[in-house]
């Protein structure tokens, strides 16, 4: 790959670049096809690239200017470094020349682009030293085109031999699974015939379903969990090894049975082909119904939390446990699931409410869910609210009592009363949709659209399954910026700057100058982003929106003298490095790969005399060396010995001389813009190639590496001090956020019912104006259901920006009066007063996180925290004052808080699950 070729672009290059950019846009607009090669790119680099391409016009000059701001592609952060590797037998996963680093997340760490896109971008901007392309091939799984960045890994067991690890594509077949197991154990199985080998599900070291009865079956259809155990069995003579079925209580699950001693319990375990249920006879005697946890199958906490909340929705659970659902199953609904989803949900509910149940592993349920909703296949983190919406809608269609939906024509609302329109709309809706889900969860709201030009109004009444409640957000945000000041020594102070969310870099710079008392007449600020101890981006565009800066970005501002016309200088970036073969300190146990360099500290910027483009000589090198020595005195280690020892009282120059009699403390080397390469020594008479000059400039600044010697960092300087910054009081002051202040739920509901203009993407066609307009829209509640589900809209999405709103919402445990938000002329058979009974929580950020659930037990009325397989009693106040609350479940007062749950049906459902019925 060429490095920095775009920096010296001529007219022909610019034309070629414009064509390349145009081709990249066209490629990424095309849908991905099965078998197509794709490549990974660092997400932050791709976001910058996409923004640059989008902002640039089609002119060659504009495209060239946009690309000049792009850095070379650095793939090192995405590449597996080989640390901690175990031997892995790979089969059916494709010929992957470059392995990806474990734990990467799409749209957070990496983006997926077409292979041709990647190759064209490399041709334009190049790749850094050591970078390699990560190429994958798209596959079709469950009818969806997917890209497997990683294969699926499994731990296989055979006899008394050591377990092995295999890795396969999810598109691989059972035949490839069998062959991978054979290859992994080499001589022990190489001569075995297919008829004498089989692979068995060995999840939680419990012998389960036979997986290789049909060798053409795809791995994805076997319902396996990543990294789970598989058992390889070989026939001896005419007999297979004796089959054993046993599941031990999971380690750490003592709290599931409160004060029980696990060693003294009599354990009874039932194993199903797809769902495992661990039970405890002693626990059954005192009652654990509805307190069973759900095993995490791999990032399935989103599903587990939603299921636990539905499990304690008494109206719904009683409907399934009593087997009333059987009479309503609709196998002929063309938009339903043939009753399979309802049946599997009933089996799962029965398992959760079985006497003595401790933990349920919902593999069969997840498999059925994924078959009808491929977005929930695999083991990526998903959204609990989206799962809940699909599940309720799917259950409704499977249980719709209307076998043949009548045609209903929508009438114009003009000149008619709200009551007439609402009743007609509800009757039309229930004529086509009649199920337990509609009876329990669905309500109705009025949607009013008003043309801002002519005042024309449209009124519609629509059903809802849940309410998506917007959360108020602050118009300001805090951005941390570390100000680096140079004088007799280097100081670094981190400020917490409160700025408008709609502000730009100029706004941020002005806020910093005000709080740090910087006079821009005599000084200038260089604002930049630091990543991996190097400058990743220089903010030269003062109009750049602050929305492009995330809370994870590390910003530094360097306080430098104002530029002078009479004494030109070249800003020189100094990046601290040490040899990768040396340890961090004399006592460190961790070392890096020999021959590499490790960056540390934060970069310095030193103006050096000389015009731009002028090659530095011995004079500049001597000045820079003296400057580094002066600034580095701040980071010197305490002298050994007592305060009165000669070493302790020696001057810094004497200590440096005594510590380094045979070698220089550091060397200044030319490097590339990300400080990963090593070229000639700075200021040397050796000729510096044009490619080196072009590659080591960063936004008109020259990048130089300070390569510190091992003795310098061992005896003279403390490497840790190079990273030290002082926190200004403004950081703590401005960290008092909305998440700590709290917002009443009622205020959020008021925001939901406020009038707001439609965006340009949702314009409404006004029949009187005969054009699309940005109408004013208002929602009003009209008919409320027995169970009111409210989804707090914590996640914001935009093209290049994703954010989570961590505002604390104060919601009541009881007596939520919805009367003020319901239209006054709406029908009221029951007062719209609600009590809380369940909460889905989300902890973490957009890129990842964890889901849990608080629920009030449907029989006992006690509150519990469900965290995957763990169920813990809690005080009901724990569910309140909770900034992680994401989905709220409220029961109307006429719905009993607790009620006895049926038992006969739950046992029947569980027996069906054990025998594989419903498959």
């Amino acid at each position: 790959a060429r490095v920095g070729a775009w920096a010296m672009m001529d007219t022909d290059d610019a034309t070629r670049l414009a064509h390349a950019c145009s081709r990249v846009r066209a490629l990424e607009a095309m849908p991905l096809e099965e078998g197509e090669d794709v490549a990974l790119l660092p997400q932050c680099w791709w976001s910058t690239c996409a923004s640059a391409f989008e902002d640039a016009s089609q002119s060659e000059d504009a495209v060239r200017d946009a690309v000049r701001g792009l850095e070379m592609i650095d793939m090192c952060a995405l590449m597996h470094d080989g640390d901690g590797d175990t031997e892995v037998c790979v089969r059916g996963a494709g010929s992957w020349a470059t392995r990806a680093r474990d734990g990467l997340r799409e749209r957070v760490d990496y983006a997926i682009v077409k292979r041709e896109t990647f190759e064209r971008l490399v041709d334009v901007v190049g790749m850094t030293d050591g970078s390699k392309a990560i190429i994958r091939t798209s596959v079709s799984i469950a009818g969806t085109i997917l890209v497997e960045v990683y294969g699926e890994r499994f731990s296989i067991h055979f006899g008394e031999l050591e377990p092995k690890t295999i890795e396969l594509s999810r598109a691989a077949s059972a035949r490839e699974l069998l062959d991978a197991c054979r290859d992994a154990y080499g001589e022990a199985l190489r001569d075995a015939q297919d008829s004498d080998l089989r692979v068995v599900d060995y999840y939680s070291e419990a012998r389960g379903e036979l997986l290789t009865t049909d060798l053409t079956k795809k791995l994805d259809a076997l319902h396996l969990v990543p990294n789970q155990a598989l058992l390889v069995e070989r026939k001896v003579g005419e007999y297979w090894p004796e089959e054993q079925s046993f599941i031990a209580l999971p380690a750490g699950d003592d709290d599931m049975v409160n004060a029980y001693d696990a060693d003294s319990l009599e354990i009874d375990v039932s194993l199903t082909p797809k769902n495992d249920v661990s039970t405890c006879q002693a626990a059954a005697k005192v009652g654990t119904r509805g307190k069973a946890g759900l095993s995490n199958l791999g990032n399935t906490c989103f599903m587990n939390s939603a299921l636990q909340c539905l499990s304690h929705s008494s109206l719904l659970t009683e409907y399934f446990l009593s087997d009333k659902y059987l009479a309503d199953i609709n196998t002929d609904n063309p938009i339903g699931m043939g009753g399979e989803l309802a049946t599997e949900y009933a089996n799962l509910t029965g398992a959760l409410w079985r006497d003595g149940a401790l933990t349920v592993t919902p593999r069969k349920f997840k498999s059925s869910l994924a078959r009808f909703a491929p977005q929930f296949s695999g083991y990526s983190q998903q959204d609990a609210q989206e799962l809940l919406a699909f599940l309720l809608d799917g259950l409704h269609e499977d249980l719709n009592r209307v076998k043949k939906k009548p045609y209903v024509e929508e009438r114009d609302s003009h000149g008619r009363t709200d009551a007439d329109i609402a009743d007609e709309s509800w009757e039309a809706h229930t004529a086509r949709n009649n199920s337990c889900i509609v009876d329990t969860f669905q309500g109705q709201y009025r949607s009013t659209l008003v043309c801002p030009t002519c005042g024309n109004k449209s009124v519609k009444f629509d059903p809802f399954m849940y309410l998506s409640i917007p959360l108020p957000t602050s118009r300001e945000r805090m951005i941390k910026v570390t100000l680096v000041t140079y004088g007799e020594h280097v100081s670094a102070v981190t400020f917490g700057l409160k700025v408008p969310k709609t502000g730009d870099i100029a706004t941020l710079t002005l806020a910093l100058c005000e709080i740090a008392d910087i006079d821009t007449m005599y000084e200038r600020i260089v604002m930049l982003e630091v990543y991996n101890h190097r400058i990743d981006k220089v903010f030269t565009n003062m109009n750049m929106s602050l929305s492009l800066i995330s809370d994870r970005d590390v910003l530094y501002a360097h306080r430098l003298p104002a530029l002078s016309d009479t004494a030109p200088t070249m800003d020189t970036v100094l990046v601290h490095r040490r040899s990768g073969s040396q340890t961090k300190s004399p006592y460190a146990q961790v070392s890096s790969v020999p021959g590499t360099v490790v960056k540390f500290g934060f970069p310095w910027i030193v103006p050096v005399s000389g015009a731009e483009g002028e090659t530095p000589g011995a004079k500049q090198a001597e000045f820079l060396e003296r400057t580094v020595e002066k600034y580095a005195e701040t980071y010197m280690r305490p002298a050994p010995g007592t305060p009165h020892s000669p070493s302790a009282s020696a001057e810094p120059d004497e200590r440096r001389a005594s510590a380094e009699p045979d070698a220089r403390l550091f060397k200044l080397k030319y490097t590339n813009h990300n400080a990963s390469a090593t070229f000639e020594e700075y200021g040397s008479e050796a000729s510096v190639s044009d490619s080196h000059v072009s590659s080591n400039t960063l936004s008109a600044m020259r990048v130089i590496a300070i390569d510190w010697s091992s003795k310098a960092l061992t005896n003279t300087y403390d490497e840790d001090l190079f990273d030290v910054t002082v926190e200004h009081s403004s950081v703590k002051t401005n960290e008092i956020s909305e998440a700590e202040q709290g917002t009443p739920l009622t205020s959020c509901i008021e925001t939901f019912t406020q009038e707001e203009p439609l965006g340009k993407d949702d314009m409404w066609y006004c029949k009187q104006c005969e054009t699309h307009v940005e109408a004013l829209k208002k929602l009003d509640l009209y008919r409320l259901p027995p169970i009111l589900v409210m989804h707090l809209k914590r996640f914001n999405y935009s093209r290049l920006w994703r954010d989570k709103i961590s505002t604390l919402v104060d919601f009541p445990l009881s007596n939520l009066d919805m009367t003020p938000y319901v239209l006054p002329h709406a029908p009221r058979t029951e007062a719209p007063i609600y009590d809380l009974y369940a909460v889905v929580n989300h902890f973490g950020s957009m890129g990842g996180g964890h889901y849990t659930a608080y629920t009030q037990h449907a029989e006992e009325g006690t509150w519990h925290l469900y965290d995957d397989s763990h169920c813990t009693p809690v005080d009901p106040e724990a569910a309140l004052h909770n900034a992680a609350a994401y989905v709220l479940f409220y029961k109307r007062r006429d719905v009993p808080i607790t009620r006895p749950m049926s038992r006969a049906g739950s046992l029947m459902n569980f027996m069906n699950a054990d025998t594989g019925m419903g498959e």
Side-chain angles (χ1 to χ4, degrees):
R2 295 189 295 148
V3 179
W6 48 266
M8 301 190 317
M9 198 177 300
D10 57 22
T11 303
D12 291 339
D13 289 330
T15 302
R16 175 184 56 79
L17 176 59
H19 291 166
C21 295
S22 177
R23 178 59 179 163
V24 166
R25 292 192 192 97
L27 283 170
E28 294 310 305
M30 297 167 59
L32 188 63
E33 297 181 357
E34 182 179 0
E36 186 174 3
D37 282 351
V38 298
L40 271 60
L41 276 173
Q43 178 63 50
C44 57
W45 189 94
W46 175 243
S47 296
T48 303
C49 175
S51 177
F53 281 14
E54 183 171 314
D55 293 341
S57 66
Q58 294 299 318
S59 71
E60 294 174 2
D61 289 342
V63 174
R64 177 167 55 185
D65 290 342
V67 176
R68 279 189 185 277
L70 294 177
E71 298 182 356
M72 288 183 289
I73 301 171
D74 187 353
M75 297 292 296
C76 296
L78 303 184
M79 295 162 50
H80 191 269
D81 55 15
D83 290 344
D85 261 357
T86 56
E87 185 178 352
V88 178
C89 178
V90 180
R91 190 181 184 94
S95 55
W96 297 344
T98 306
R99 181 176 163 192
R101 185 186 298 270
D102 292 336
L104 298 179
R105 296 164 294 174
E106 187 179 359
R107 294 187 297 273
V108 176
D109 301 305
Y110 68 87
I112 296 175
V113 299
K114 304 291 182 72
R115 180 171 184 166
E116 184 181 344
T117 294
F118 179 83
E119 291 172 347
R120 287 180 178 270
L121 290 172
V122 169
D123 185 53
V124 170
V125 300
M127 282 200 298
T128 60
D129 294 343
S131 290
K132 295 180 181 179
I134 301 179
I135 305 298
R136 297 293 184 262
T137 302
S138 61
V139 296
S140 177
I141 298 176
T144 302
I145 304 298
L146 301 173
V147 174
E148 291 185 291
V149 175
Y150 307 99
E152 296 286 6
R153 289 192 175 191
F154 305 102
S155 173
I156 59 173
H157 301 253
F158 176 63
E160 300 298 322
L161 299 180
E162 287 292 322
K164 303 285 186 179
T165 300
I166 61 173
E167 182 173 346
L168 300 98
S169 165
R170 288 168 58 195
S173 63
R175 152 68 64 191
E176 289 172 295
L177 170 62
L178 189 66
D179 290 343
C181 294
R182 194 201 316 268
D183 293 346
Y185 279 105
E187 294 298 328
L189 295 177
R190 190 154 292 157
D191 61 343
Q193 301 296 316
D194 287 350
S195 57
D196 293 335
L197 281 181
R198 66 186 187 184
V199 182
V200 180
D201 187 342
Y202 200 48
Y203 183 80
S204 295
E205 297 188 359
R207 191 183 181 285
E209 182 184 11
L210 184 60
L211 302 175
T212 50
T213 52
D214 180 1
L215 294 180
T216 64
K217 201 170 186 179
K218 294 296 184 183
L219 189 66
D220 190 57
L222 298 179
H223 320 300
L224 301 177
V225 179
N227 300 311
Q228 80 159 77
L230 303 177
L231 182 64
V232 182
E233 294 182 337
R234 182 174 184 177
K235 186 184 293 185
V236 179
E238 297 183 1
Y239 300 96
W240 294 100
E242 182 181 0
E243 299 181 356
Q244 298 179 354
S245 297
F246 179 76
I247 299 178
L249 252 173
D253 277 0
D254 313 31
D255 53 358
M256 293 293 296
V257 290
N258 298 328
Y260 297 125
D261 179 2
D263 294 330
S264 65
L265 295 176
E266 298 178 24
I267 303 296
D268 168 47
V269 177
S270 297
L271 178 67
T272 76
K274 302 290 193 306
N275 293 327
D276 301 332
V277 181
S278 61
T279 64
C280 174
Q281 291 180 353
K285 295 176 182 178
V286 296
T288 62
R289 299 187 73 218
K291 300 176 186 176
L294 286 165
S295 297
N296 193 318
L297 304 178
N299 286 323
T300 56
C301 55
F302 74 96
M303 179 180 76
N304 294 346
S305 60
L307 289 173
Q308 293 289 10
C309 291
L310 288 181
S311 172
H312 291 277
S313 300
S314 56
L315 293 178
L316 183 67
T317 298
E318 174 61 19
Y319 172 76
F320 279 102
L321 292 183
S322 64
D323 290 340
K324 293 179 182 178
Y325 78 97
L326 293 172
D328 293 337
I329 287 183
N330 188 338
T331 58
D332 300 323
N333 190 344
I335 58 175
M337 290 78 174
E340 179 180 343
L341 186 63
T343 300
E344 291 306 327
Y345 180 79
N347 291 338
L348 181 63
T349 302
L352 288 171
W353 284 85
R354 186 186 185 191
D355 286 307
L358 296 178
T359 306
V360 178
T361 304
R363 281 186 290 170
K364 184 62 170 68
F365 173 79
K366 183 181 183 301
S367 172
S368 297
L369 181 73
R371 185 153 46 251
F372 301 108
Q375 66 268 31
F376 299 119
S377 64
Y379 301 94
S380 299
Q381 181 67 280
Q382 302 286 345
D383 188 286
Q385 184 271 331
E386 292 179 3
L387 179 280
L388 186 67
F390 175 83
L391 179 57
L392 289 176
D393 189 60
L395 290 176
H396 159 65
E397 296 297 349
D398 266 7
L399 300 169
N400 197 346
R401 303 178 186 110
V402 179
K403 308 303 180 183
K404 186 176 181 180
K405 296 183 178 182
Y407 173 75
V408 178
E409 184 175 355
E410 185 177 350
R411 294 175 56 190
D412 194 343
S413 61
H414 185 69
R416 304 167 60 203
T417 65
D418 280 350
D420 289 340
I421 303 170
D423 290 343
E424 182 182 273
S425 297
W426 188 251
E427 289 173 5
H429 174 67
T430 53
R432 296 171 56 85
N433 302 277
N434 182 5
S435 69
C436 172
I437 304 300
V438 173
D439 298 340
T440 305
F441 293 95
Q442 287 198 354
Q444 188 182 34
Y445 58 67
R446 182 182 70 180
S447 173
T448 305
L449 294 172
V450 180
C451 175
T453 304
C454 67
N456 182 31
K457 181 187 296 186
S458 171
V459 177
K460 289 184 64 177
F461 283 81
D462 296 311
F464 66 84
M465 190 85 74
Y466 55 89
L467 300 178
S468 286
I469 307 297
L471 301 186
T473 58
S474 172
R475 295 183 178 181
E476 293 182 316
R477 59 182 293 209
M478 187 190 75
I479 298 180
K480 293 182 181 180
V481 179
T482 300
L483 178 65
V484 182
T485 304
Y486 302 91
E488 289 304 311
H489 62 277
V490 178
S491 67
V493 180
T494 301
F495 293 90
L497 305 178
K498 204 162 189 179
V499 292
K501 287 186 174 181
T502 56
D504 51 22
I505 294 296
T507 307
L508 184 65
T509 304
L510 179 61
L512 178 63
C513 290
E514 289 179 353
I515 196 171
D517 194 22
I518 299 173
D519 188 344
T520 54
M521 287 288 292
Y522 305 100
E523 296 177 286
R524 57 191 170 97
I525 295 296
V526 178
M527 188 79 66
L528 48 86
E529 179 185 341
V530 171
Y531 172 75
N532 190 24
H533 307 285
R534 63 173 177 84
I535 295 178
D536 186 62
K537 185 185 302 179
V538 180
F539 299 115
T540 56
N541 180 8
M542 291 292 104
N543 296 321
M544 191 189 95
S545 173
L546 295 181
S547 64
L548 298 177
I549 297 176
S550 78
D551 292 334
R552 297 188 299 271
D553 293 340
V554 180
L555 302 189
Y556 276 74
H558 291 257
R559 188 173 185 172
L560 302 174
L563 295 174
S564 171
D565 295 333
T566 58
T569 58
M570 177 74 170
D571 286 344
T572 303
V573 177
L574 300 176
V575 180
H576 304 279
R577 306 192 312 188
R578 61 175 171 83
S579 170
S581 59
Q582 70 192 69
T583 55
K584 186 175 182 181
S585 73
Y587 313 102
Q589 301 299 315
V590 180
S591 62
S592 302
V593 180
T596 62
V597 292
V598 176
K599 295 182 281 289
F600 64 93
F602 56 83
W604 298 343
I605 299 179
V606 176
V608 178
S609 62
E612 183 177 354
E614 179 181 334
T615 302
K619 180 180 178 181
Q620 285 85 355
E622 182 181 356
F623 165 76
L624 207 53
E625 286 179 358
R626 289 200 312 268
T627 303
V628 171
E629 289 176 354
K630 180 178 71 171
Y631 290 162
E633 289 181 4
T634 307
Y635 312 119
M636 295 186 74
R637 293 180 179 275
T642 65
H644 303 289
S645 67
S647 299
S649 60
E651 292 297 322
D653 288 343
E654 296 174 1
R655 287 170 52 195
R656 284 195 297 268
S658 62
E660 290 285 331
D662 303 322
R664 294 159 62 184
L665 294 172
F666 59 85
K667 293 181 181 180
L668 301 177
K669 293 293 188 73
Y670 285 106
T671 183
N672 55 356
H673 75 287
N674 63 0
S676 61
T678 301
F679 303 136
E680 294 83 358
E681 190 162 350
Y682 178 79
S684 65
E685 296 181 358
S687 61
V688 181
S689 66
D690 289 341
S691 63
H692 290 178
V693 172
S694 63
S695 66
N696 82 342
T697 54
L698 178 68
S699 187
M701 295 189 292
R702 182 176 287 119
V703 183
I704 302 298
I706 310 176
D707 286 340
W708 292 92
S709 69
S710 59
K711 288 186 177 180
L713 296 180
T714 300
N715 302 325
T716 310
Y717 300 104
D718 187 341
E719 179 184 333
D720 290 334
L721 295 180
F722 283 79
D723 266 316
V724 171
T725 62
V726 177
E727 186 176 280
H728 188 262
S729 60
S730 58
V731 175
K732 289 186 177 179
T733 300
N734 291 328
E735 272 183 343
I736 302 175
S737 62
E738 293 175 354
E740 298 167 340
Q741 296 170 0
T743 299
L745 177 62
T746 52
S747 296
C748 301
I749 299 174
E750 289 171 1
T751 303
F752 173 78
T753 58
Q754 284 179 355
E755 186 177 72
E756 62 177 358
L758 295 177
K760 292 185 178 180
D761 294 334
D762 300 307
M763 292 201 298
W764 170 64
Y765 183 79
C766 176
K767 294 182 179 179
Q768 289 189 13
C769 297
E770 296 184 346
T771 185
H772 286 88
V773 297
E774 296 181 36
L776 298 174
K777 182 177 182 178
K778 189 177 189 306
L779 297 177
D780 294 288
L781 300 177
Y782 187 79
R783 197 184 308 264
L784 293 179
I787 301 297
L788 180 61
V789 180
M790 284 186 278
H791 158 229
L792 305 180
K793 296 174 67 175
R794 291 200 176 275
F795 300 121
N796 282 338
Y797 301 87
S798 66
R799 182 175 59 86
L800 292 175
W801 179 257
R802 302 183 304 159
D803 188 25
K804 180 184 177 182
I805 303 172
S806 298
T807 300
L808 172 66
V809 177
D810 289 327
F811 49 90
L813 187 66
S814 59
N815 295 313
L816 173 62
D817 189 354
M818 296 294 291
T819 304
Y821 315 107
V822 179
L823 290 172
H825 52 274
R828 297 186 184 180
T829 55
E830 301 292 341
I833 299 175
Y834 289 81
D835 299 319
L836 184 76
Y837 74 92
V839 181
V840 172
N841 308 302
H842 178 270
F843 299 91
S845 60
M846 286 287 298
H850 182 60
Y851 286 93
T852 64
Y854 289 113
T855 73
Q856 186 179 29
H857 195 277
E859 273 191 334
E860 300 175 5
T862 54
W863 280 83
H864 298 82
L865 168 64
Y866 291 87
D867 187 350
D868 287 331
S869 59
H870 298 269
C871 173
T872 308
V874 294
D875 187 274
E877 293 297 319
L880 307 178
H881 308 293
N882 172 20
Y886 183 44
V887 183
L888 309 178
F889 292 75
Y890 277 92
K891 290 180 183 178
R892 202 170 58 203
R893 275 291 172 84
D894 59 303
V895 178
I897 291 293
T898 60
R899 61 185 298 174
M901 296 288 108
S902 295
R903 291 180 176 270
S906 67
L907 293 176
M908 182 62 66
N909 289 334
F910 184 74
M911 292 174 62
N912 290 345
D914 279 347
T915 57
M917 293 179 63
E919 291 193 346

